[in-house]
Amino acid sequence: MPQESSWKLKDRKNIKPDEVSRLFTAAKKSSTRDYIMLALTANMGLRVGELVQLKFEDFLPQQGIALVKTLKQKEAVVDELNVDKGVFELVDEWKKSSGRTRGWLFPGKNPEKPITTRGAQKIFEKAAQAAGIETE
């Protein structure tokens, strides 16, 4: 479970520990995808834009790292993040659940492209709403 004090929802300050628990429960009830998206974002400290750009091939368990594409000073950069084994377990769970092992971790309606940032934000907002957490 992620560090509660580092969590924020949209225009709010940090969310409370019980809200984090409710958020994860709501996401898990919605779908495995929603839960894993939320869990990876929290555990890896990702921005939504970084999450949607992840591919299965970006996770390198032998090295204990994940490759994360981000923009720094308007330039595309690939950061190597050290991640714990729980992250790799989530990715393995998603491989089994989705039936895929390559390409976009979270494909969009067109499987050749990732889910949009706005699409991922809607998933998080839906989980917050289901958990009874106000986001504004």
Side-chain angles (χ1 to χ4, degrees):
M1 193 65 86
Q3 187 85 13
E4 290 87 2
S5 63
S6 66
W7 271 68
K8 294 182 181 177
L9 282 175
K10 221 170 184 178
D11 298 326
R12 288 193 41 191
K13 301 256 183 202
N14 294 337
I15 67 174
K16 300 173 185 146
D18 70 302
E19 291 175 326
V20 173
S21 178
R22 291 187 348 238
L23 191 61
F24 274 93
T25 299
K28 198 164 212 168
K29 284 181 183 176
S30 176
S31 73
T32 301
R33 179 202 64 185
D34 295 1
Y35 171 75
I36 291 177
M37 286 178 78
L38 184 64
L40 287 176
T41 301
N43 283 302
M44 295 174 68
L46 299 175
R47 295 178 185 96
V48 178
E50 295 166 339
L51 172 75
V52 301
Q53 292 298 313
L54 289 172
K55 293 184 174 185
F56 285 103
E57 298 85 355
D58 293 332
F59 293 88
L60 307 171
Q62 295 80 10
Q63 291 95 335
I65 62 171
L67 305 175
V68 177
K69 295 161 199 75
T70 188
L71 286 176
K72 292 190 179 170
Q73 298 178 353
K74 298 185 182 182
E75 280 194 43
V77 176
V78 177
D79 287 328
E80 291 183 0
L81 289 182
N82 292 316
V83 294
D84 62 41
K85 70 177 186 172
V87 167
F88 298 112
E89 290 168 1
L90 286 168
V91 173
D92 286 342
E93 181 182 341
W94 182 231
K95 284 179 182 178
K96 290 175 190 163
S97 178
S98 70
R100 295 177 300 103
T101 59
R102 301 192 55 74
W104 297 111
L105 201 59
F106 304 107
K109 291 178 183 175
N110 173 355
E112 301 297 316
K113 295 183 178 183
I115 187 172
T116 64
T117 300
R118 184 64 194 130
Q121 288 169 335
K122 285 181 179 180
I123 288 167
F124 296 153
E125 290 167 4
K126 183 176 92 175
Q129 183 178 24
I133 300 169
E134 291 187 31
T135 59
E136 311 236 0

